[in-house]
Amino acid sequence: MKPSSLPQLILATALLAATSVSGAATAFEKTTVLAGSTLVMNGTGTRYKAIFKVYDMAMYLPATAKTSEAVLALPGPKKLSFVAQRKVSGTDLGLAFLRGLKDNNPPELMRKHTLSTTRLIDIFSGKSHVDEGHTFAMEFVPGKGTQFFIQGVAQGDAIDDAEFFQMVLRIWLGNDPVDMRLKEGLLGN
């Protein structure tokens, strides 16, 4: 390769990453059943950090919603499904979720839900890493709360707090989401 073509290759790779996230590479199921309700896949996308894929994600809802406000207002169970696209430290994943929570929720809400937030971080930080291809999920069932799963295994008891799941959704759907292209993909845009 000629030295002069290296910058072009880097630019082409960055442009490809920026334009190829309309949907995730993972083939997620179109529907899933949670607490006796059939949920539909609202949208999918890929979380990138720089030009590297971190995870593919799908959001399941009782009905489709095209705005963040509509998703947050929608009653009933909801599910976020993830497939790791690279090996990621559990601590890094937990801290990334914490940053997303802080960036998209008011400080008073963060203080109110300190125990729930600490629990989320502990779940992921308790894992040395999540390998490429591993799955994790976050499910909300009214009356039961938010349950976290890694490789299909429930991680402790559910967090019985409907407001907390709204905070978690804002990591991806808030005003300062972790990835704007991912937000658009989850909203089916």
Side-chain angles (χ1 to χ4, degrees):
M1 176 183 303
K2 293 189 276 184
S4 63
S5 63
L6 186 58
Q8 292 172 333
L9 177 62
I10 291 170
L11 179 60
T13 303
L15 288 173
L16 179 61
T19 59
S20 64
V21 293
S22 60
T26 301
F28 290 99
E29 296 294 324
K30 297 290 182 197
T31 62
T32 189
V33 176
L34 180 58
S37 296
T38 299
L39 305 180
V40 295
M41 183 176 53
N42 196 71
T44 65
T46 300
R47 167 70 170 115
Y48 281 87
K49 185 158 183 164
I51 62 170
F52 301 103
K53 292 181 180 183
V54 180
Y55 53 78
D56 285 345
M57 180 178 178
M59 181 170 63
Y60 294 90
L61 305 170
T64 58
K66 296 295 182 188
T67 67
S68 298
E69 296 77 19
V71 171
L72 295 171
L74 199 60
K78 298 175 177 94
K79 180 176 181 175
L80 303 174
S81 292
F82 304 81
V83 177
Q85 295 301 303
R86 61 183 300 119
K87 184 176 181 176
V88 180
S89 151
T91 299
D92 289 347
L93 200 52
L95 290 174
F97 289 151
L98 177 62
R99 271 191 306 279
L101 283 167
K102 284 182 177 179
D103 289 347
N104 290 286
N105 291 286
E108 61 274 6
L109 206 54
M110 291 295 294
R111 281 190 296 278
K112 179 179 175 184
H113 297 283
T114 299
L115 291 176
S116 299
T117 301
T118 301
R119 175 101 183 289
L120 169 65
I121 295 163
D122 288 346
I123 286 170
F124 289 97
S125 295
K127 304 292 178 196
S128 63
H129 62 276
V130 175
D131 279 324
E132 181 178 343
H134 278 187
T135 63
F136 50 105
M138 301 173 187
E139 297 179 351
F140 172 74
V141 176
K144 287 180 106 178
T146 303
Q147 182 69 62
F148 301 98
F149 296 85
I150 297 177
Q151 287 292 96
V153 177
Q155 302 297 302
D157 296 328
I159 298 172
D160 186 17
D161 182 350
E163 191 172 52
F164 178 68
F165 193 74
Q166 299 286 344
M167 292 174 62
V168 169
L169 284 172
R170 287 187 194 104
I171 294 171
W172 298 277
L173 303 177
N175 292 329
D176 189 16
V178 296
D179 186 317
M180 185 57 80
R181 295 175 306 234
L182 176 55
K183 176 180 177 176
E184 293 301 317
L186 294 174
L187 293 172
N189 298 327

